[in-house]
Amino acid sequence: MTLSTLLVCADADAVDVLRRVLEELGMKVELCAEPIRAGVRLAQERFDLIVLDCKTKKETIALLLESRYSRLNDSTLAVVVVDGQESVREMFSLGVNFAVYKPVAYERAMSSLRSAQSLLHKDKRYKARARVHTQATVDYAGGEQTRATLVDLAEDGMAVNFGKKLPPTCRVYFQFQLPGQKSTVRLSGQVVWQDWNGRAGVQFVDVPQTSRRIMSEWLQKNLDEPKSELASESPSVEPSVKSSAPAAHAAMDQQEGRSHEREAVARLRSEPDNRRGQTRYACRLGAEVFQAGSSVRNYCHLSDLSPGGCYLEMPLVFAQGSAVEITVRTHEMKLRLSGEVKASHPGYGMGISFRMNTKDERSGVQQLIDFVAATAPSNG
C-alpha cells in the first residue's frame, strides 16, 4: 500500500529535495505551501507522514500541535526541518519523530525519511489477533477502577467491551490477567474507535517490558485459531491494519465495522460530553508539575482536559490526595494551575482535580480550555 505524505514547505529548493526523496521512497506526496491550508487538510484526511518546513518556528509548532489535536492525525509520524540542535529538543518534546537539518541535502533527507518509512512499514504489518475473554480493571479520566471485558488481543492493540461510552480519544490504563496466566499485565492505551454497544478499539501506548513478554508468550500459544473478525472490523486500532482473510464474511464484517466506526465518530463529535456532563478535550501539552511545598520540577504531558480536571502523563507519580501545582506553557501564554491528585497510576500518570477557589484559579483553567478548544479541529 502506498504511504501518503503531507509536505508543508514554501522553500522551492527544499521542496525539490524533499519531494524527490519521498517519491523515490515510493510515497504519495501532497504539497501545501501555507500552514493554514495544511491545517485544513489535517482536519480532512489522515496521512501516514507529515513533513514540516514552515517559515517560522511558531508556525511549525502551531501546525504540529494542530495535528496532535486532530482525531485523524494525532498519531501520525512527524518530521520537521530544523536549523540546528537548539530547536530539536523542543520539537521532540512536542511529539516529533524525526528531524532533518538545514540546509536540506539529499543524503540527510534520505537518511531521516528512510528511517520514517521503515517505521511506518513496520507499523503497517498485519498483527494477528487471538480471541480472549477475560476481565480487566480500567482507569481513565472520569472513571477509576471500572470493569471491562477483553474481546481480542494483538501485539499492538485489542478490542474491549467497556459496556458504555468513553470520552473520545481517551487514554485508558489497564490491569488484567490472561487465561492460564498468573502474572498481571499492566499497560496504557488510547481509545481510537468505539460503537454504541460499548465495544471499543484500543491502541497500545505504553507497555512495560514484563507485560509485553507476558502477552507475547500468551499470543504464541493462542494464535493457531482463525484471525478474529474484529481485526478486520476495527481497522482504526492500528490505522493501517488490514485483514488478509479471503473469506466473504470477513469482507462483510470489515464493511460493517467501518460503518460502525463512522457512525461512532459522527456521534462522538456531536456529543463531546461524558457521563459527568463536562466537555472533555483530547490534547497533549507539555507541562511541569510540583508537589505542594516542593521546588522539584517534574516534566509531564497534560491530556484529557475538562473544566474540572485533567490527566498528567508521567512515569513517577505522587500519592493520591497530594496537592500539586501545574505550569503549562504554550507559545502564547504561561499558566499556573493548582489541584489535587485523585487517581495515581505508577508508570503512567495521575488524574488531577483542579482547585478553583479564587477568581485567578478559575480564570487560569478557563484560559487553558479556551486555548485547547481554539486550536482543536472543528467538530463540524
Side-chain angles (χ1 to χ4, degrees):
M1 181 179 178
T2 303
L3 299 173
S4 61
T5 302
L6 180 66
L7 172 59
V8 186
C9 183
D11 183 324
D13 293 336
V15 167
D16 288 342
V17 175
L18 293 168
R19 187 197 289 271
R20 175 187 168 193
V21 170
L22 289 165
E23 290 179 347
E24 286 183 8
L25 292 173
M27 299 189 193
K28 177 185 175 183
V29 182
E30 179 176 334
L31 174 64
C32 280
E34 296 297 330
I36 293 178
R37 173 60 183 163
V40 172
R41 293 296 294 128
L42 288 170
Q44 292 173 333
E45 186 174 329
R46 187 188 181 282
F47 294 89
D48 296 299
L49 180 70
I50 54 175
V51 181
L52 304 177
D53 184 17
C54 301
K55 294 178 181 178
T56 66
K57 178 181 176 181
K58 182 177 180 180
E59 288 180 337
T60 299
I61 291 175
L63 193 55
L64 180 63
L65 291 175
E66 190 166 352
S67 73
R68 293 312 179 226
Y69 301 146
S70 164
R71 290 188 178 92
L72 291 174
N73 292 283
D74 60 343
S75 60
T76 298
L77 252 64
V79 178
V80 294
V81 179
V82 295
D83 290 314
Q85 289 284 349
E86 63 276 5
S87 301
V88 171
R89 183 174 298 176
E90 181 179 7
M91 291 299 175
F92 282 131
S93 72
L94 293 172
V96 166
N97 303 97
F98 297 93
V100 176
Y101 292 98
K102 294 181 179 179
V104 180
Y106 175 85
E107 291 77 12
R108 288 177 177 178
M110 178 60 78
S111 175
S112 295
L113 294 173
R114 181 181 283 125
S115 297
Q117 181 197 42
S118 298
L119 183 57
L120 284 168
H121 280 308
K122 179 181 178 181
D123 287 344
K124 280 184 173 290
R125 288 187 308 208
Y126 175 70
K127 305 293 193 306
R129 292 179 173 268
R131 293 182 184 275
V132 62
H133 185 89
T134 191
Q135 296 297 307
T137 301
V138 183
D139 292 285
Y140 60 92
E144 290 80 36
Q145 296 293 300
T146 61
R147 305 291 289 178
T149 303
L150 273 57
V151 178
D152 73 11
L153 178 69
E155 293 179 8
D156 53 357
M158 58 189 177
V160 182
N161 191 341
F162 292 99
K164 59 185 175 183
K165 182 181 75 172
L166 270 64
T169 61
C170 177
R171 184 66 65 86
V172 190
Y173 303 83
F174 288 89
Q175 295 185 49
F176 57 86
Q177 289 182 335
L178 292 166
Q181 298 275 7
K182 295 183 178 180
S183 300
T184 299
V185 174
R186 294 178 175 85
L187 58 84
S188 71
Q190 184 171 9
V191 173
V192 290
W193 69 266
Q194 53 185 319
D195 64 22
W196 295 95
N197 293 319
R199 190 167 58 179
V202 174
Q203 182 177 350
F204 296 153
V205 175
D206 187 5
V207 184
Q209 186 175 358
T210 301
S211 294
R212 187 170 295 280
R213 177 180 53 78
I214 294 169
M215 290 194 298
S216 295
E217 291 176 355
W218 187 87
L219 285 168
Q220 289 176 6
K221 298 177 181 178
N222 291 272
L223 283 176
D224 53 352
E225 300 179 11
K227 294 183 177 69
S228 166
E229 72 265 16
L230 284 183
S232 58
E233 181 179 354
S234 51
S236 292
V237 172
E238 184 70 24
S240 53
V241 168
K242 301 293 181 183
S243 173
S244 59
H249 75 273
M252 292 175 65
D253 285 341
Q254 185 178 44
Q255 184 176 2
E256 181 184 357
R258 287 175 175 168
S259 176
H260 282 312
E261 183 186 356
R262 284 193 295 270
E263 180 184 357
V265 170
R267 293 187 185 181
L268 284 168
R269 290 182 174 179
S270 63
E271 300 177 18
D273 58 307
N274 68 5
R275 63 188 176 91
R276 290 188 173 182
Q278 290 186 336
T279 300
R280 292 188 175 272
Y281 298 93
C283 62
R284 187 173 169 81
L285 302 176
E288 299 164 3
V289 60
F290 303 81
Q291 195 162 7
S294 171
S295 60
V296 177
R297 178 184 304 175
N298 299 270
Y299 293 99
C300 59
H301 284 102
L302 185 151
S303 62
D304 291 319
L305 176 67
S306 80
C310 67
Y311 199 89
L312 298 182
E313 300 173 9
M314 54 190 291
L316 300 177
V317 297
F318 306 146
Q320 187 172 342
S322 299
V324 297
E325 298 288 335
I326 306 164
T327 301
V328 184
R329 293 183 177 88
T330 72
H331 58 279
E332 296 179 352
M333 61 183 178
K334 175 182 176 181
L335 292 175
R336 186 97 172 185
L337 310 172
S338 62
E340 179 181 342
V341 178
K342 289 297 185 182
S344 189
H345 311 122
Y348 300 110
M350 306 179 292
I352 304 296
S353 174
F354 291 139
R355 288 179 175 172
M356 295 182 286
N357 299 325
T358 68
K359 182 178 179 181
D360 287 343
E361 288 176 332
R362 291 191 293 271
S363 175
V365 171
Q366 190 58 53
Q367 275 185 270
L368 184 60
I369 289 173
D370 290 344
F371 170 77
V372 171
T375 52
S378 170
N379 289 338

